Amino acid sequence: MSYLVLARKYRPRTFADMVGQEVAANTLRGAITEGRVAHAYLFHGPRGTGKTTSARIFAKALNCERGPTPEPCGECERCQAADANAEADLIELDAASNRGIDAMRDLLSQVSYAPMRARFKVYILDEAHMLTKEASNALLKTLEEPPPHVKFFLATTEPEKLLTTIRSRCQIVQLAPLAEKQIAERLEWVFAREQIQAEPGVATELARRARGGLRDALSSADQLLSLAGSKPKLADLERLAGAGGADELEALCAAIEAHDGAAVLYALPLLRGGEIELCGGLLEHVRSMVVLGLCGEDAPLVEADAALRAKLVERARRVGAERLQTWLEELLAARERMRLVPAHARVGLESAHLALARPETTWPIAEFTERLQALEERLARGQAMGASPASMTSPSAGFAAPNKVAEPTAAPARAPSVQSPPPSAGNSIVGDAGGTSTRASPAPTMPVSERSSRPIEPTEAWKQTLAELASAAASLADVLRSRGR
C-alpha cells in the first residue's frame, strides 16, 4: 500500500476536527441550522489554513442523508463517497489549470442537470483567482442565479485578484492563520497516534516555522521523519531548509546590530533553495522585536515563550524602533528581489544583510533630522559656505561621520569673489580667439553680507549639504540622496 502523507491522512472530516477556525466553522454550521445557506461562498485565507477542507466539509453537511446537518455523520453513503473522492455530484476543479473560457463553458453546460444521487450538486473552484477575465465574466450570471440544486464554493489565497462582481455575489468566509500553540498541540497529537518519540520542543519549532499553516507544519514533519526517523531531535531541524531556528535568527540579529559584516555572512546558514524562507523567518523575528518594543513584553500580538520574549525586548531597546523598522523595509524589498531573480537568491540574501549591517544606513531618523536642521541653520547664517568638508562632518557641525575618515588638509581661506554682470550677449561668452560659446555662464557669487541677509530655500540648503557631505562620507551622502527628503 502506498504511503499517505500526514497532511492527507489527518485531514479534518468534520467541523469539530478543524483546528483554530471556530469562527468559520460556526458560521457555516449556523447557515445550515438557520436555513440561510447561500448559493455561493468564497473561502479565503493564507495557504494551509483549511479553505478547501472547509468547502468539502460544508458540501458533506449539505448532502448528508441525515441532513442538511451542522455536522456530517461520516457513516452514510454520501459522506463516505465524499471522503473517498467518489461523489459524482461533488465536482472539484483546479482553476489554476482550468482557467480559460473553454473550461468554464464546459462547466456551465453541466450546471442545469439535476444531481445524480446527492441533494445538491456542489462545484468547488480551487485557486479561483487564477481564472481569466473572460472565464470570470462567463461565470458571473450563473454564479448570481444558479439553479436551486447547485452550490458554488470558491477558494483562494488572493481574493483581491478576483473580480469585484464575483466577490459581491458570494458569502465570504475568512480563515485566519493558526496560532503556534494550536499547531504544536495538533502535531503532538499526530506524533502520539503515529508513535513518534519526538524530543521536547520539536513540535513547537515546527509550528513556528509553519507561520500559521497547519498543512505546512505537517509537511515539514513528514520531511523531518524521513530524515531523522521516529525519534527526531531539535538538532535534526537545523539540517532542514527553512526559516531557521530562533537561536540562528538571534545570532544573525546580533551580527547585524554589531555592524560586523563577516559575522553576518558566517551567521547565514548554508541553504539550498531556502533563502526566501529564511528571509521570511527573519522578517517575523524582527516584527516580533518591533511589537514587543512598542507594546511591552506581555503583548499578545507575538507568540513566543518567556525566555525568547526577554531577549527580543532587550534587543529592541538597544537597537531602537526606527532602526528596526528600517530592517523590516529592507528585508521586505530583499524578499521581492529574490523572488524576481531566484537563481541568485543567495547573493540577494547576503547583499541585504550586509546593507543592514552598514552603520550609515541604520542611523536613527531623529538623529538625521536634528543634525540636518543644525546644518541648515548654519548655512542660513552664512557660516558654512566656506567651511571645509572636515568641519562640515565634525560633531560641532551637526553630522558625525559614521566611519573614521582621513581629514583633508585645510585649504587657505579665500575671500569670495564678486563677478561682474554677464555680457549683453545673453548666455554666450567670448573665448580667447574671439569665438562664441553657447555654454551658460555661471551664476554670480553673492557677497557674504548679502548671503547672510537672504534666507536660503530648503531645496538649495539640502543640495549644499549633500555636496559638502559627499567629500567626507560618500556612502552616507548616497543614502541621503536616494532616500532623504
Side-chain angles (χ1 to χ4, degrees):
M1 183 178 178
S2 61
Y3 176 71
L4 193 63
V5 297
L6 297 178
R8 290 184 59 191
K9 185 176 182 180
Y10 293 100
R11 191 172 196 168
R13 299 178 184 272
T14 64
F15 289 123
D17 291 339
M18 293 182 64
V19 178
Q21 302 296 352
E22 289 78 11
V23 175
N26 290 335
T27 300
L28 299 176
R29 284 196 192 107
I32 296 176
T33 303
E34 300 296 330
R36 296 180 177 273
V37 179
H39 56 272
Y41 285 83
L42 173 62
F43 299 83
H44 76 88
R47 71 175 191 265
T49 53
K51 299 180 294 297
T52 308
T53 297
S54 301
R56 288 180 175 179
I57 296 174
F58 195 30
K60 283 171 55 180
L62 291 175
N63 286 329
C64 180
E65 293 179 357
R66 301 180 184 179
T69 173
E71 283 289 351
C73 67
E75 299 175 356
C76 67
E77 183 179 356
R78 300 278 65 77
C79 289
Q80 292 181 358
D83 289 338
N85 294 326
E87 179 59 79
D89 297 316
L90 178 58
I91 301 98
E92 188 169 344
L93 188 68
D94 179 20
S97 55
N98 299 275
R99 59 195 303 263
I101 183 65
D102 293 334
M104 186 56 59
R105 284 172 179 165
D106 291 341
L107 182 150
L108 297 178
S109 65
Q110 304 296 322
V111 166
S112 58
Y113 295 108
M116 297 176 62
R117 297 186 180 89
R119 186 177 293 108
F120 296 101
K121 180 181 285 188
V122 180
Y123 289 91
I124 300 177
L125 300 182
D126 204 5
E127 302 298 332
H129 65 276
M130 297 295 290
L131 291 173
T132 64
K133 184 177 181 179
E134 293 77 9
S136 299
N137 287 327
L139 178 63
L140 280 176
K141 185 61 177 177
T142 305
L143 190 65
E144 184 176 20
E145 297 179 0
H149 59 266
V150 173
K151 304 294 180 185
F152 282 99
F153 299 160
L154 282 64
T156 178
T157 55
E158 302 178 60
E160 66 279 358
K161 290 187 178 181
L162 284 169
L163 294 180
T164 306
T165 47
I166 284 185
R167 296 201 303 267
S168 66
R169 287 163 167 79
C170 298
Q171 295 279 334
I172 297 179
V173 180
Q174 183 173 357
L175 289 92
L178 276 67
E180 291 181 8
K181 182 179 179 181
Q182 293 172 324
I183 297 177
E185 290 175 352
R186 184 69 172 183
L187 287 174
E188 291 173 352
W189 179 81
V190 170
F191 288 161
R193 293 177 67 92
E194 293 289 320
Q195 298 181 354
I196 303 299
Q197 300 176 8
E199 182 182 30
V202 169
T204 302
E205 183 61 26
L206 285 172
R208 189 192 65 80
R209 296 189 181 199
R211 297 204 292 274
L214 180 56
R215 185 183 61 207
D216 289 357
L218 290 171
S219 299
S220 298
D222 253 324
Q223 186 179 2
L224 177 64
L225 297 178
S226 300
L227 176 68
S230 60
K231 296 182 178 180
K233 302 182 181 300
L234 279 170
D236 298 322
L237 278 169
E238 297 178 1
R239 294 187 284 169
L240 293 179
D247 293 338
E248 291 177 320
L249 297 178
E250 274 292 290
L252 188 54
C253 289
I256 295 174
E257 180 187 356
H259 310 301
D260 191 340
V264 167
L265 294 179
Y266 280 116
L268 288 172
L270 295 176
L271 303 173
R272 293 176 178 84
E275 289 84 0
I276 294 179
E277 288 77 7
L278 176 62
C279 189
L282 186 59
L283 266 171
E284 291 291 334
H285 197 73
V286 176
R287 179 254 178 194
S288 298
M289 280 191 279
V290 173
V291 172
L292 293 178
L294 294 175
C295 303
E297 189 171 343
D298 298 329
L301 303 175
V302 173
E303 298 183 24
D305 55 28
L308 181 57
R309 281 174 178 266
K311 292 180 181 179
L312 294 175
V313 169
E314 183 180 356
R315 189 179 305 282
R317 289 172 179 170
R318 290 198 308 268
V319 176
E322 291 178 346
R323 184 177 171 190
L324 288 176
Q325 290 173 12
T326 302
W327 289 10
L328 286 176
E329 294 171 1
E330 289 288 342
L331 290 171
L332 284 170
R335 188 172 64 173
E336 294 305 313
R337 290 195 299 268
M338 286 189 284
R339 285 176 175 170
L340 293 175
V341 193
H344 299 286
R346 181 72 186 188
V347 178
L349 184 71
E350 293 174 344
S351 174
H353 287 75
L354 289 175
L356 292 180
R358 287 206 309 265
E360 62 267 27
T361 61
T362 54
W363 278 9
I365 302 300
E367 186 175 350
F368 271 129
T369 304
E370 180 181 352
R371 296 186 175 189
L372 281 174
Q373 288 176 348
L375 271 179
E376 289 175 353
E377 290 176 0
R378 292 195 59 194
L379 289 171
R381 292 195 302 267
Q383 297 176 354
M385 298 300 294
S388 65
S391 63
M392 289 293 295
T393 56
S394 64
S396 61
F399 262 111
N403 296 321
K404 185 176 181 181
V405 297
E407 295 186 0
T409 305
R414 294 183 300 173
S417 60
V418 181
Q419 287 187 340
S420 58
S424 59
N427 289 336
S428 62
I429 55 177
V430 180
D432 296 336
T436 302
S437 172
T438 58
R439 184 180 52 183
S441 61
T445 304
M446 190 179 300
V448 175
S449 58
E450 190 174 347
R451 285 201 310 264
S452 59
S453 61
R454 181 180 65 87
I456 299 179
E457 294 295 329
T459 303
E460 182 183 354
W462 176 250
K463 291 180 180 179
Q464 294 174 0
T465 301
L466 293 178
E468 294 288 351
L469 190 60
S471 60
S475 59
L476 179 57
D478 290 339
V479 172
L480 290 177
R481 188 176 292 109
S482 62
R483 301 188 182 185
R485 291 183 296 175

